[in-house]
Amino acid sequence: MKNRPLRFYCFSPTVMVLTFIIEVSLMVYVLFRYKLNTLTRLVAALLFCLALFQLAEYKICGTHGNAEAWARAGFVAITMLPPLGLHLALYIVKRGWLVLNTLAYITAAGFIYLFTFGQHTFSGHVCGGNYVIFQLDYVVSNFYYFYYYGWLLITIMLCLQFYYESKQASVRKALKWLVIGYLAFLVPTTVINSYSPATKAGVPSIMCGFAVLFALILAIGVLPPASKAKPVKKKS
């Protein structure tokens, strides 16, 4: 029997636009269902960035508009996910940690500048029908994955630390679901990459394909208990 290439049809353009609709719907739900404050803004911003990347992929694979411009917009969107996620975790536990939070946003700003104005950041893209392969500059790509996975892992570790330190059931529940949300797209992506190393070139596309689970968990699992968390009493 001949070996057949591994295919992931769940990342087709049709599913991309459906995922976009789901994530936008969740964003609208969050904004209208909950009081508008820092918490809901952070969750809504995460959902918006996820939706924008899906729209960018659809535009690229559907040959609608300037592919390079949409690739830049898509990467700007997902570049904001790590600092926003860290900010959300710190806000849930009412920890300032301004230096760490600021560092996350500064590193994101550096990559956003490259993705927006860099002339040689992108060398092209391939839409295989299953997922999009973005051809990034080799050096930029290596630093970007270090940036992306680095901040995600830092956020997960902090969530676990805060989970065991917190005495509030609502905070612990929100943090638990936030970790589950991260793992919901990190673990499947890692499994796929391990099974088929050739898919590593499509990590952003594959990861955001699974990130619809993260979007659902944010709106249904993280936000409800986080919105009930009580302010931490300052020690006198």
Side-chain angles (χ1 to χ4, degrees):
M1 183 181 290
K2 295 182 179 180
N3 293 327
R4 295 182 178 180
L6 187 64
R7 297 181 182 277
F8 302 101
Y9 289 107
C10 53
F11 304 113
S12 65
T14 301
V15 175
M16 289 173 186
V17 72
L18 289 175
T19 302
F20 167 77
I21 292 172
I22 291 172
E23 290 166 349
V24 168
S25 298
L26 288 172
M27 181 185 70
V28 173
Y29 166 77
V30 165
L31 290 174
F32 281 91
R33 169 65 178 79
Y34 294 91
K35 180 181 179 181
L36 189 60
N37 53 27
T38 301
L39 177 65
T40 52
R41 289 190 183 97
L42 286 171
V43 173
L46 283 163
L47 293 171
F48 173 80
C49 289
L50 289 171
L52 180 56
F53 185 81
Q54 290 296 333
L55 178 62
E57 284 199 310
Y58 175 72
K59 289 289 188 178
I60 292 169
C61 292
T63 64
H64 301 293
N66 187 312
E68 182 180 349
W70 280 109
R72 291 178 184 275
F75 266 81
V76 167
I78 61 172
T79 297
M80 284 301 299
L81 294 176
L84 285 171
L86 174 63
H87 194 166
L88 175 62
L90 293 174
Y91 184 82
I92 290 173
V93 295
K94 303 298 186 290
R95 302 285 183 92
W97 289 41
L98 183 62
V99 174
L100 185 66
N101 209 10
T102 301
L103 181 60
Y105 280 113
I106 289 175
T107 54
F111 282 106
I112 287 174
Y113 179 85
L114 284 176
F115 293 138
T116 303
F117 302 106
Q119 296 299 315
H120 305 290
T121 305
F122 293 93
S123 58
H125 73 277
V126 176
C127 182
N130 302 315
Y131 54 87
V132 183
I133 297 174
F134 294 97
Q135 297 165 334
L136 292 175
D137 173 81
Y138 180 76
V139 176
V140 173
S141 176
N142 286 336
F143 277 105
Y144 186 67
Y145 288 125
F146 179 77
Y147 152 82
Y148 203 91
Y149 278 98
W151 283 116
L152 292 186
L153 291 175
I154 287 172
T155 303
I156 290 174
M157 289 188 292
L158 286 176
C159 284
L160 293 175
Q161 176 188 334
F162 297 147
Y163 175 86
Y164 288 108
E165 290 179 352
S166 179
K167 296 181 180 180
Q168 287 193 54
S170 57
V171 170
R172 288 166 62 89
K173 186 175 182 180
L175 292 173
K176 178 187 72 174
W177 278 111
L178 186 55
V179 171
I180 292 173
Y182 273 121
L183 296 179
F185 66 88
L186 284 175
V187 172
T189 303
T190 302
V191 170
I192 288 176
N193 293 156
S194 300
Y195 187 82
S196 179
T199 61
K200 290 181 179 179
V203 164
S205 180
I206 295 172
M207 186 178 289
C208 283
F210 284 113
V212 66
L213 298 175
F214 181 49
L216 289 166
I217 290 171
L218 276 174
I220 301 173
V222 176
L223 187 54
S227 63
K228 298 176 183 178
K230 298 177 182 178
V232 177
K233 293 182 180 180
K234 295 183 179 180
K235 294 181 180 180
S236 55

